[in-house]
Amino acid sequence: MAEHEVSLCGACEAVGMSRSGWYKPPRDRLERDNEVITALTSVTDEHRRWGFWKSYDRLRLDGHRWNHKRVYRVYCQLGLNHKRRTKRRLPVRDRQPLDTPSTVNAVWAIDFMSDALYVGRRFRTLNVLDEGMREGLTIEIDTSLPGERVVRVLERLCAWRGVPEAIRCDNGPELTSQVFVDWCERMAITLRYIQPGKPNQNAFIERFNRTYREEVLNSYLFEDLDQVREITYDWLITYNEQRPHDALGGLPPVTFREQQTAKNSTYELST
C-alpha cells in the first residue's frame, strides 16, 4: 500500500488475501486447538488401540461438536495416525540336524553379535564359522550390517575358501531378506534356518560367540571401530592357529583342517 499507493482493498486482492483476514488478529494455532488436543489425547491415552473414527465418535458422545476435519488435522499433527508396528510372523521352520561334518565347507554357521564403544556408540559383528572344522572364517564389524553387506562378505569368503554346501542361521531380518535368499539360490547353497527361539540349534557358532565375547568384547574398552577390527583380527588368527580345541582332540582348527584334508585326499587316491 505504501510502495504502490493502492487501497487496502486493492492490496488484499493483489496478494490473494481477504480483508477479514487482514483485520483479524493473528492467533496461535496451538492455543486455538488446545481444547481439541486435550480431549483427543485423553481418549487415545486411555484407549491406545482405537483409531481416528472411534476416538472421534467418543468425542461426539462426550458432547464435543468439533468438525471431523479439524479433529483429524489435530490427530495427524499429534502423530496419532502412524501405523502401529506389529510382530513379524515367521514361517514354520523344521528342526535341522546338528551333525558334525568331516569335510571343509560342508556347513557354515552365521550369527550376529552386538557391543558398544567406550563412548557408547553401538556396533555389530557378523561371525562366520565352518562347523566341521570349528574354524572362524571371518568377523565383520561395523555399525550396520544389512543383507547386502552380508552377501558381499560371503562372496569374499567364497572366492577365498570355496562355496559351502549349506548355511545355518537364525531368522533375523538380514538373513531372511530377499537379497540374501536369492544369492544362496544362485550359488546352490542350502539354507538351514533354526526354529525361532531355539539358539541351541545353532550351537557351534553360539559356543564360538561365547569365546569371542569373553576373550575380546568383555576384555577391552574400545575407542573406535578400527581398534575393534585390529584386536579381533589378531584374536581370530590365534583362535584358528594356536588355541587347542577340545572337540578337535586338542588341535587348533587350522591344524585339524589340514589333517582332515590330507586324510580325505589319501582316501580318494586309494579308492
Side-chain angles (χ1 to χ4, degrees), residues 151-190:
V151 169
R152 292 200 300 270
V153 171
L154 294 178
E155 285 179 341
R156 187 174 70 242
L157 283 178
C158 290
W160 158 64
R161 180 83 171 197
V163 181
E165 298 176 11
I167 290 179
R168 193 189 311 276
C169 58
D170 58 20
N171 298 271
E174 302 86 358
L175 304 178
T176 55
S177 63
Q178 198 61 44
V179 61
F180 176 72
V181 174
D182 291 344
W183 180 80
C184 289
E185 290 182 357
R186 290 198 308 270
M187 302 297 291
I189 300 174
T190 303

Side-chain angles (χ1 to χ4, degrees), residues 38-271:
T38 302
L40 189 58
T41 52
S42 65
V43 174
T44 55
D45 286 345
E46 185 177 357
H47 307 283
R48 297 181 179 274
R49 297 295 300 173
W50 285 10
F52 167 73
W53 286 109
K54 280 191 178 298
S55 301
Y56 176 72
D57 292 340
R58 184 65 261 172
L59 293 178
R60 299 288 286 188
L61 292 173
D62 291 341
H64 301 293
R65 296 303 177 209
W66 300 307
N67 186 284
H68 72 276
K69 291 183 287 186
R70 180 185 179 187
V71 177
Y72 185 71
R73 174 177 56 78
V74 175
Y75 186 84
C76 294
Q77 290 175 346
L78 293 175
L80 300 175
N81 61 325
H82 292 174
K83 185 177 180 180
R84 300 181 185 275
R85 296 184 62 180
T86 57
K87 291 185 177 180
R88 182 168 58 98
R89 186 178 297 276
L90 295 174
V92 178
R93 305 295 190 189
D94 296 328
R95 180 165 184 169
Q96 300 292 335
L98 193 63
D99 50 2
T100 306
S102 59
T103 58
V104 179
N105 295 339
V107 180
W108 288 1
I110 299 179
D111 199 13
F112 289 93
M113 297 181 69
S114 177
D115 209 284
L117 302 176
Y118 181 69
V119 295
R121 187 184 182 190
R122 304 294 300 180
F123 66 87
R124 304 184 74 197
T125 73
L126 170 65
N127 304 350
V128 185
L129 180 78
D130 188 324
E131 288 189 354
M133 305 296 108
R134 305 296 204 280
E135 185 177 0
L137 303 183
T138 189
I139 299 178
E140 189 77 5
I141 300 168
D142 214 327
T143 55
S144 178
L145 295 169
E148 294 82 359
R149 180 74 173 273
V150 174
V151 169
R152 292 200 300 270
V153 171
L154 294 178
E155 285 179 341
R156 187 174 70 242
L157 283 178
C158 290
W160 158 64
R161 180 83 171 197
V163 181
E165 298 176 11
I167 290 179
R168 193 189 311 276
C169 58
D170 58 20
N171 298 271
E174 302 86 358
L175 304 178
T176 55
S177 63
Q178 198 61 44
V179 61
F180 176 72
V181 174
D182 291 344
W183 180 80
C184 289
E185 290 182 357
R186 290 198 308 270
M187 302 297 291
I189 300 174
T190 303
L191 280 174
R192 298 184 180 180
Y193 287 108
I194 66 174
Q195 294 174 317
K198 302 288 185 180
N200 58 304
Q201 295 181 9
N202 205 359
F204 293 126
I205 200 166
E206 290 292 342
R207 183 63 183 85
F208 175 82
N209 292 348
R210 175 185 169 186
T211 304
Y212 177 57
R213 172 75 67 184
E214 293 176 346
E215 298 184 1
V216 178
L217 298 182
N218 289 350
S219 300
Y220 298 93
L221 293 176
F222 304 107
E223 297 179 358
D224 51 42
L225 291 180
D226 290 336
Q227 190 179 57
V228 184
R229 296 185 182 110
E230 182 179 355
I231 294 175
T232 298
Y233 178 79
D234 294 338
W235 176 84
L236 193 58
I237 293 176
T238 302
Y239 181 89
N240 288 330
E241 299 181 2
Q242 299 179 17
R243 185 180 186 276
H245 203 297
D246 294 340
L248 305 180
L251 298 176
V254 170
T255 304
F256 180 78
R257 171 169 54 83
E258 292 173 350
Q259 290 185 1
Q260 290 297 112
T261 303
K263 184 185 301 183
N264 294 334
S265 299
T266 304
Y267 176 78
E268 291 175 359
L269 290 175
S270 62
T271 55

